Amino acid sequence: MCGIVGLLVKNPAMRDELGKLMLPMLIGMTERGPDSAGLAVFGDKLAKGKIKFNLFTLSSEFDWKAFEKAFDHHFGSHAELNIKGRHAILLTSVQWESVREWLVQDYRHQLTILCVGNSMDIYKDIGTPEQVANRYDFSKLHGTHLVGHTRMATESAVTPQHAHPFTAGHDFCLVHNGSLSNPYSIRKKLEPLGIRFVTDNDTEAACRFLEWRMREGDTLEEALKAGFEELDGFYTFLIGTEDKLALVRDPFACKPAVVAENDDYVAISSEFRSLARLPDIKNARLFEPAPEELYVWTI
Amino acid sequence: MDNLARKKESGDKTILFDLSQTTVREMNQFLHHDLEKEKLGSVKITHPDGAHNIAVGLDAPVNVDIEGHAGYFCAGMNKQAHVTIHGNVGWSVAENIMSGLVRVKGFASESAAASGHGGTVIIERDASLRCGISMKGVDIVVGGSVGNFSAFMAQAGHLVICGDAGDGLGDSIYEAVIYVRGKIKSLGADAQIESMTDDDHRILKDLLARAGFGYEPKEFKKVASARGLYHWNADANQEY
């Protein structure tokens, strides 16, 4: 079992409160996912030529200052580093492939790359949703939309890397409630194409499959339709891109989802109880998404 | 019981529970053990906010009004009580209902009235997938449409669908009877359309009247079992 939440604010005045609005949604899904939690938040795009890496260190002893110096020394260019405990956002104008190779070469035992892009940040860790939210100040997050997840692991280890959201490519992420029965065959198909996997988690296979389809030219909607054919198992998926939020359920609708929509926001959750604290929820249009249908909202 | 944030409304036999102040467990324990002792005729529950297990296991002739959206298993295993949800419900509303009445004013999520043995369940809007799965005698009336695999392995009782039905309606159905007013996307294995008898018209008229829906029995078609699955046929090679 897991919990998923998503929130897209249509009213620009609510963007500063995105984290605050989402917090009771995420904490409301604690019973469905008490062992890890995470979210991806989408905000303003960086200036042209800039890119950011979200990094996570498994060691509380990691020396971020020395890391920053090493970066500056290696690339001859200053990186901005925004540190919050074991999480840091590295902002740079160095070409992203070079930075990734350097991180993999020199820091693969110390750092995990959570995501790369220019509008998305990812925070994920083990602990209850409330503990994780407090650790990374989720209530202060702002932006246009986010996807969140509370995990009760059923098929792979409980570690920060195995927590959701999963990401692939740039500014693309996915959270999952359910379990896939063919993640290894998908992986076998993608790995010969040069697609690298970070974990043995089933959700990562779905995430990398969809992002691969989009790199091959599919729109998000086309990739999701290909997913209906290719991905076998139980799922409610919530997907975030820099300007979209998308929701799909498997053909048997084995995992729940409910949507609340009004003029100000679209809110998605596994269960209504985590939507109950949203402003003016009484007058929102509530519906249950149908199996094997695409639901896509654009900011 | 004074620690419960509840109060009797003046002059009558209604008790009020505010679930923003009282836990579902405390409330359910009161409904199970103290309701009849205090001779209360009705219960009003406010701020349900999607909580699970509201008013499960009731066994008393009482009217219960839930003022908002309820979560999973609402009014499960109900006996005697008349429960009205003034909102939507999550999965498995009135699961295993034995008697009494459960009315949902909004929509119901999956597995509504699953395995229900008796009583009546009325859903005024749509019901999701697997409505009436394995029903064993309950009467279900849905004002809107039902999702896929509804009345799967339905054994006894009636399922009335005033809107459309999804895929696999009545798959592996036994002696339950389904009445559908709208379109049927597909019938499940061993389910077939049959002609409506005088008894069907009488039963359906009564069910529609109890639900308060103004449709005529003649607008409906009947789905029942072809009874081809009653006996194992080794020659069928799993093709039904």
Side-chain angles (χ1 to χ4, degrees):
Chain A
M1 198 190 272
C2 291
I4 60 166
V5 298
L7 183 62
L8 181 150
V9 292
K10 301 175 185 175
N11 177 355
M14 293 172 93
R15 287 180 184 171
D16 287 344
E17 293 184 351
L18 187 70
K20 212 168 111 189
L21 290 167
M22 175 279 306
L23 201 58
M25 294 173 64
L26 192 78
I27 291 172
M29 286 293 90
T30 301
E31 284 172 29
R32 293 189 70 91
D35 62 40
S36 331
L39 63 77
V41 58
F42 294 83
D44 292 335
K45 273 182 149 186
L46 297 174
K48 209 168 178 240
K50 293 263 186 191
I51 191 112
K52 60 182 170 180
F53 285 72
N54 277 223
L55 304 171
F56 183 84
T57 171
L58 289 171
S59 160
S60 55
E61 309 294 310
F62 187 74
D63 187 346
W64 288 111
K65 287 282 162 210
F67 169 78
E68 192 178 355
K69 266 190 191 164
F71 182 98
D72 294 355
H73 178 73
H74 184 83
F75 291 107
S77 166
H78 179 64
E80 248 180 70
L81 207 59
N82 187 355
I83 305 157
K84 204 174 280 171
R86 291 180 177 179
H87 183 277
I89 299 170
L90 183 151
L91 188 66
T92 177
S93 43
V94 176
Q95 203 195 25
W96 71 270
E97 290 98 330
S98 313
V99 178
R100 193 184 67 178
E101 283 315 306
W102 175 71
L103 287 167
V104 172
Q105 284 289 320
D106 291 9
Y107 289 94
R108 67 178 174 278
H109 298 302
Q110 294 143 290
L111 292 176
T112 299
I113 301 171
L114 293 175
C115 64
V116 187
N118 60 30
S119 65
M120 179 177 80
D121 291 320
I122 284 188
Y123 300 88
K124 60 182 193 175
D125 207 343
I126 54 173
T128 65
E130 188 169 18
Q131 287 167 342
V132 175
N134 288 339
R135 209 173 292 155
Y136 300 107
D137 288 335
F138 282 178
S139 63
K140 291 183 185 149
L141 293 173
H142 51 87
T144 49
H145 55 303
L146 58 78
V147 301
H149 188 265
T150 65
R151 183 169 188 239
M152 185 186 286
T154 53
E155 53 66 61
S156 59
V158 177
T159 74
Q161 288 96 329
H162 286 84
H164 300 215
F166 279 89
T167 181
H170 290 187
D171 298 317
F172 178 86
C173 76
L174 177 147
V175 295
H176 176 201
N177 172 204
S179 56
L180 297 178
S181 52
N182 64 342
Y184 291 104
S185 62
I186 292 164
R187 195 173 167 144
K188 273 184 196 157
K189 189 174 171 174
L190 297 181
E191 279 177 332
L193 305 173
I195 293 168
R196 284 189 278 189
F197 281 71
V198 179
T199 71
D200 56 349
N201 183 283
D202 60 339
T203 306
E204 186 178 354
C207 181
R208 295 203 184 276
F209 172 80
L210 295 172
E211 192 272 337
W212 167 67
R213 287 306 322 153
M214 288 167 71
R215 258 190 297 123
E216 291 293 306
D218 279 2
T219 61
L220 174 63
E221 289 81 353
E222 286 164 346
L224 291 168
K225 278 184 188 159
F228 288 138
E229 299 300 315
E230 202 75 27
L231 304 170
D232 188 28
F234 305 140
Y235 53 83
T236 295
F237 288 137
L238 190 57
I239 295 117
T241 71
E242 63 177 9
D243 62 346
K244 285 187 170 74
L245 204 56
L247 174 70
V248 288
R249 298 176 76 196
D250 70 68
F252 293 89
C254 284
K255 296 295 172 184
V258 61
V259 179
E261 187 164 11
N262 63 17
D263 290 343
D264 286 336
Y265 58 78
V266 181
I268 298 140
S269 179
S270 298
E271 298 176 22
F272 174 77
R273 59 182 165 149
S274 84
L275 304 177
R277 302 277 171 268
L278 284 167
D280 203 30
I281 186 72
K282 274 189 179 161
N283 298 313
R285 184 173 79 91
L286 287 171
F287 67 94
E288 190 179 82
E292 221 170 6
E293 290 282 334
L294 300 179
Y295 297 87
V296 181
W297 295 272
T298 305
I299 57 167
Chain B
M1 298 300 286
D2 290 343
N3 60 333
L4 294 185
R6 62 183 175 84
K7 62 178 183 201
K8 282 184 195 178
E9 288 189 344
S10 57
D12 68 12
K13 301 204 165 178
T14 298
I15 188 163
L16 180 72
F17 288 95
D18 178 351
L19 287 184
S20 67
Q21 306 295 319
T22 306
T23 66
V24 172
R25 177 170 292 187
E26 284 176 311
M27 179 191 71
N28 281 341
Q29 281 176 347
F30 180 89
L31 297 179
H32 295 162
H33 302 296
D34 302 314
L35 204 54
E36 291 204 291
K37 209 162 50 191
E38 299 205 14
K39 302 205 182 321
L40 293 160
S42 61
V43 176
K44 193 187 267 192
I45 300 166
T46 59
H47 298 105
D49 289 347
H52 298 336
N53 309 319
I54 295 174
V56 293
L58 297 192
D59 187 5
V62 63
N63 288 313
V64 178
D65 284 280
I66 301 170
E67 306 288 338
H69 306 307
Y72 293 8
F73 312 118
C74 183
M77 300 177 284
N78 189 65
K79 267 185 178 173
Q80 302 188 68
H82 285 204
V83 180
T84 304
I85 299 104
H86 298 267
N88 309 320
V89 288
W91 287 35
S92 304
V93 64
E95 180 187 51
N96 216 60
I97 181 172
M98 302 303 284
S99 65
L101 176 87
V102 175
R103 180 184 284 272
V104 181
K105 305 286 261 184
F107 66 75
S109 187
E110 298 192 20
S111 308
S115 202
H117 284 253
T120 308
V121 177
I122 297 158
I123 296 156
E124 297 195 357
R125 288 172 58 193
D126 294 341
S128 184
L129 290 84
R130 291 173 273 271
C131 177
I133 183 171
S134 197
M135 54 193 279
K136 295 173 175 68
V138 63
D139 289 327
I140 307 169
V141 188
V142 181
S145 298
V146 299
N148 301 344
F149 321 120
S150 287
F152 175 61
M153 292 187 82
Q155 292 144 56
H158 303 92
L159 170 60
V160 181
I161 303 160
C162 299
D164 301 333
D167 272 323
L169 180 68
D171 193 293
S172 308
I173 189 171
Y174 292 79
E175 293 304 299
V177 175
I178 308 169
Y179 302 108
V180 189
R181 184 169 160 271
K183 294 189 207 84
I184 299 169
K185 198 167 175 200
S186 70
L187 289 173
D190 212 30
Q192 65 180 9
I193 308 270
E194 294 183 0
S195 44
M196 298 272 286
T197 64
D198 289 346
D199 274 353
D200 289 318
H201 281 271
R202 185 181 48 76
I203 291 164
L204 184 51
K205 192 173 180 185
D206 172 58
L207 288 169
L208 289 167
R210 274 154 62 193
F213 298 148
Y215 304 116
E216 291 298 323
K218 65 181 180 200
E219 298 174 62
F220 289 76
K221 49 191 162 288
K222 176 184 178 183
V223 175
S225 177
R227 298 177 183 165
L229 288 177
Y230 272 45
H231 303 286
W232 171 250
N233 178 3
D235 296 329
N237 199 25
Q238 299 291 319
E239 300 284 336
Y240 293 102

